[in-house]
């Protein structure tokens, strides 16, 4: 399957290999794009993936307990249902295998260049094409679809003295499987989605575990369970049943939108469930107080777990709520001056989201870097297109993120949109498509105008949804079907489409 990866060398002397579409990343977004192109008969594309296999976040994150908190039937491509999911919420190995199978079944593996990291992508105005630099040579592409994933660059806190620590450190997203935690004193920094899944497993191994909490998450009971053989048989023999379950899950999750977006008070019922979960699972009043958030539920991602509070309640687990002042060779010192001796520090401290590394390596017209253009507040038209970056489409770009529903739904909506853009280019003989700055601005003004009342902006928490300038440039503030409606068709009026100049790149011509 992967033996064909190096069959085509990109560089022949000084001539980069040219493709119509270059896709960055082979997670849900990049694979989905590859498959949509292949379904149209297009083979002139390549996917560049820095990892050793496909899967994106579901390839990279291998920490113990890693599991998607969106149900399996929904967290999958609509065009590739899997009747064989073994659990209602898929664990990481099953999701990774699902994506491998989808890539195989749709015949796109041979278009994927694994172990190939894109180190620069620069727009060449003269040639009207992108120049893509990788660790395996140079490529050019008429169009680039970037699917780097918003949660792919692990973020480590800048703690004084961290480099002096004599023990072991790693991030949940780059789990060190060679390191044995058994019998160790372990500190876990962070109490987000990754931590609450990993800590119950860490606590079982370690002699003692400190969980360092800055802000408690709201946690609700988890409905995860095995899917029975009978259910799987029914899904295999009667696919409409699985589609109905998928639709049911989708709409039930959309029921949260009125509370999240318009009236956070509507989330009161969910908060009651979460408070009851605390009182059911935490007996110690002091611990109860520590784990009870003081912000509106939904402001940060609502996390499902039945194992989190029991793990924190263990005699060999301490929930540390004083911040870390510094790290010493033998442990960490909290702000009250106490030295906590530990052997290993595990960071469950999240990712660079509003400052994705890709923005530093992409340069558009006039050599402007995307990060400079964004000024730490990413924005894109329909979450996909940026002015000054012709023929570039970004998947799960600014304000496409979700806290309550499946990101795969949003990705598929964006794929429709990009396919529409490519079709428009072909039909109009255009070799260059660029969103109009005015369209970009008014789209984002509209989004930001909606943000004020949302729970993410008004719920009284500090979250990674909010960027360095205080703007929520991460979350889609509406029903997701409205995003689907907006991206169902490409809207050429918002773009400048220009014909190919003679002697320059050919317009992407999709087989129809
Ligand atoms: P995260 O939600 O960003 O959580 C990071 C945690 O680290 C937070 O508790 C944060 O505290 C804490 N933290 C950061 N810097 C710190 C510091 N200097 N000192 C102390 N604590 C610090 O990251 P994540 O848990 O990896 O999850 C990220 C996202 O990935 C999720 O929201 C979700 O979208 C996705 N995810 C999904 C799943 C799933 O499907 N089950 C699993 C994992 C991740 P504050 O809250 O105070 O900032």
């Amino acid at each position: 399957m992967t033996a064909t990866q190096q069959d085509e060398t990109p560089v022949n002397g000084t001539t980069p290999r040219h493709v119509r579409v270059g896709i960055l990343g082979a997670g849900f977004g990049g694979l989905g794009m590859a498959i949509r192109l292949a379904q149209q008969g297009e083979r002139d594309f390549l996917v560049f993936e820095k990892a050793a296999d496909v899967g994106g976040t579901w390839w990279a994150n291998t920490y113990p307990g890693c599991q998607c908190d969106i149900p399996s039937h929904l967290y999958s491509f609509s065009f590739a249902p899997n009747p064989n999911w073994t659990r209602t919420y898929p664990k990481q190995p099953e999701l990774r295998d699902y994506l491998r199978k989808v890539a195989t079944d749709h015949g796109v593996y041979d278009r994927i260049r694994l172990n190939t990291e894109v180190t620069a992508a620069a727009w060449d105005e003269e040639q009207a094409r992108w120049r893509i630099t990788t660790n395996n040579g140079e490529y050019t592409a008429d169009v680039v679809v970037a699917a780097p994933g918003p949660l792919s660059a692990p973020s480590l806190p800048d703690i004084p003295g961290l480099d002096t620590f004599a023990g072991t450190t790693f991030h949940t997203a780059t789990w060190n499987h060679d390191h044995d935690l058994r019998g160790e004193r372990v500190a876990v920094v962070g109490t987000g989605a990754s931590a609450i899944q990993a800590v119950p497993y860490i606590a079982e191994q370690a002699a003692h575990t400190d969980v360092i909490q800055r802000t408690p998450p709201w946690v609700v009971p988890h409905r995860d369970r095995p899917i029975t053989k009978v259910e799987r048989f029914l899904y295999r023999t009667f696919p409409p049943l699985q589609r109905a379950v998928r639709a049911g899950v989708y709409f039930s999750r959309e029921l949260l939108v009125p509370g999240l977006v318009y009236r956070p008070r509507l989330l009161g019922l969910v908060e009651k469930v979460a408070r009851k979960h605390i009182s059911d699972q935490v007996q110690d009043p002091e611990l109860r107080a520590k784990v009870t958030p003081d912000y509106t539920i939904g402001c940060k991602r609502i996390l499902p777990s039945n194992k989190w509070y029991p793990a924190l309640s263990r005699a060999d687990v301490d929930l540390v709520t004083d911040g870390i002042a510094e790290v010493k060779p033998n442990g960490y010192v909290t702000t009250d001056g106490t030295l906590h001796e530990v052997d290993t520090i595990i960071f469950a401290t999240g990712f660079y989201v509003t400052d994705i590394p890709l923005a530093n390596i992409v340069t558009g017209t006039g050599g402007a870097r995307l990060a400079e253009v964004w000024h730490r507040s990413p924005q894109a038209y329909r979450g996909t297109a940026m002015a000054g970056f012709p023929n570039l489409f970004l998947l799960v770009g600014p304000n496409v993120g979700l806290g309550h529903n499946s990101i795969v739904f949003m990705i598929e909506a964006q794929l429709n949109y990009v396919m529409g853009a490519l079709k428009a280019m072909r039909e109009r003989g255009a070799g260059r498509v660029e969103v109009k700055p005015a369209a970009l601005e008014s789209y984002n003004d509209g989004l930001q105008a909606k943000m004020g009342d949302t729970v993410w902006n008004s719920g009284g928490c500090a979250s990674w949804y909010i960027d360095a300038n205080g703007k929520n440039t991460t979350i889609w503030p509406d029903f997701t079907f409205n995003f689907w409606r907006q991206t169902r068709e490409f809207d050429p009026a918002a773009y400048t489409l220009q014909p190919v100049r003679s002697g320059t790149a050919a317009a992407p011509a999709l087989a129809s």
Side-chain angles (χ1 to χ4, degrees), residues 63 67 69 151 157 191-194 197 214-215 300-301 348 350 464:
Y63 61 81
Q67 183 176 21
D69 57 16
L151 302 166
T191 53
S194 301
Q197 294 183 337
R214 192 164 63 182
T215 316
K300 286 167 178 278
R301 192 180 178 93
W464 55 262

